[in-house]
Amino acid sequence: MPLLLLDLDNTLLDRAGPFRAWGQRFLEDIGAPPADIDWLLSVDADGLTDRWDVADAIRDRYALRIPSIDLVEALHDGVVANTRLDPLIACALRIADDAGWIPVVVCNGVVRQEEAKIRGTGLDRYVADWVISEEAGVSKPNPRIFALAAHRVRMPLRGAWVVGDSPEADIGGAAAVGLPSVWLHRGRTWPDSRFAPTRTAEGLIAAVATVLAG
């Protein structure tokens, strides 16, 4: 029964869409031009920018008196509120489970937000467990977080696959721990010459099919 180590944001759950939805509503509320959503998406950098830095950038651009902590909370809560589990992804996870794979979420992030998304969307019903970097005290691509995930479900790492959309965190992490991987390209070309994914796929459903076929 091998492990299927899965990223969360933009892998199991769409993160780009919920962030855009929150951003558009937020900009409308403060009277900013709708076109500023492009600036906000750029600052966010697909979730790679620290939330506090995003909050400070918003405050500076619009001369807001809102405390940064309130903006960070609004961002967290807004993304969570707009996040949904695609029924087809739930089906793919069920198929993987029926085929003998053990799905475990391995993600970088804040426990309060990431766990709220896992539980709030019902994703917790389709995975064996999850490891979040804030709680684990270590982040992808550090191999230790994958070892912790295996320990959490009392399974060996041998035979596991890593699936995710981040070249460095997911695929780099898989390379560091010596595991095969599937990169969700999301329309991008592979950017790193130091390592490469074992397979590429457009999305999670295709990735699961690739792993099962392999």
Side-chain angles (χ1 to χ4, degrees):
M1 298 180 68
L3 293 174
L4 193 56
L5 303 173
L6 303 159
D7 180 42
L8 184 63
D9 290 335
N10 289 325
T11 297
L12 286 168
L13 299 175
D14 178 32
R15 191 260 176 199
F19 180 81
R20 175 184 283 273
W22 171 81
Q24 289 173 326
R25 189 172 300 110
F26 175 80
L27 293 173
E28 180 181 356
D29 289 344
I30 65 172
D36 278 12
I37 187 63
D38 292 332
W39 169 83
L40 185 55
L41 293 175
S42 175
V43 169
D44 176 64
D46 212 17
L48 295 178
T49 306
D50 184 89
R51 303 300 83 199
W52 290 90
D53 292 338
V54 173
D56 288 342
I58 292 171
R59 290 179 75 250
D60 292 344
R61 182 178 178 91
Y62 300 108
L64 300 178
R65 295 184 177 180
I66 305 171
S68 291
I69 189 170
D70 290 347
L71 279 175
V72 169
E73 292 293 318
L75 195 161
H76 282 168
D77 294 344
V79 170
V80 170
N82 285 286
T83 300
R84 302 288 184 273
L85 175 61
D86 184 336
L88 293 178
I89 287 181
C91 182
L93 291 173
R94 187 67 76 198
I95 290 171
D97 181 72
D98 289 344
W101 291 81
I102 301 177
V104 180
V105 178
V106 184
C107 66
N108 291 343
V110 178
V111 171
R112 186 179 69 83
Q113 183 182 32
E114 304 307 292
E115 196 161 273
K117 288 188 287 190
I118 292 169
R119 295 187 185 279
T121 60
L123 179 61
D124 58 319
R125 299 196 299 269
Y126 299 94
V127 297
D129 212 329
W130 52 86
V131 177
I132 302 169
S133 63
E134 182 187 52
E135 179 183 31
V138 62
S139 303
K140 296 182 295 184
N142 191 312
R144 286 177 52 212
I145 195 168
F146 299 104
L148 285 170
H151 178 74
R152 185 73 63 91
V153 292
R154 297 180 174 84
M155 292 293 297
L157 270 176
R158 180 173 50 85
W161 279 70
V162 176
V163 178
D165 72 303
S166 170
E168 180 177 359
D170 299 313
I171 309 307
V177 78
L179 295 176
S181 60
V182 183
W183 180 53
L184 308 191
H185 61 75
R186 298 171 58 211
R188 302 166 294 172
T189 57
W190 180 253
D192 204 312
S193 60
R194 297 171 299 167
F195 48 82
T198 310
R199 300 282 189 273
T200 62
E202 183 176 359
L204 190 279
I205 297 169
V208 169
T210 295
V211 172
L212 296 186

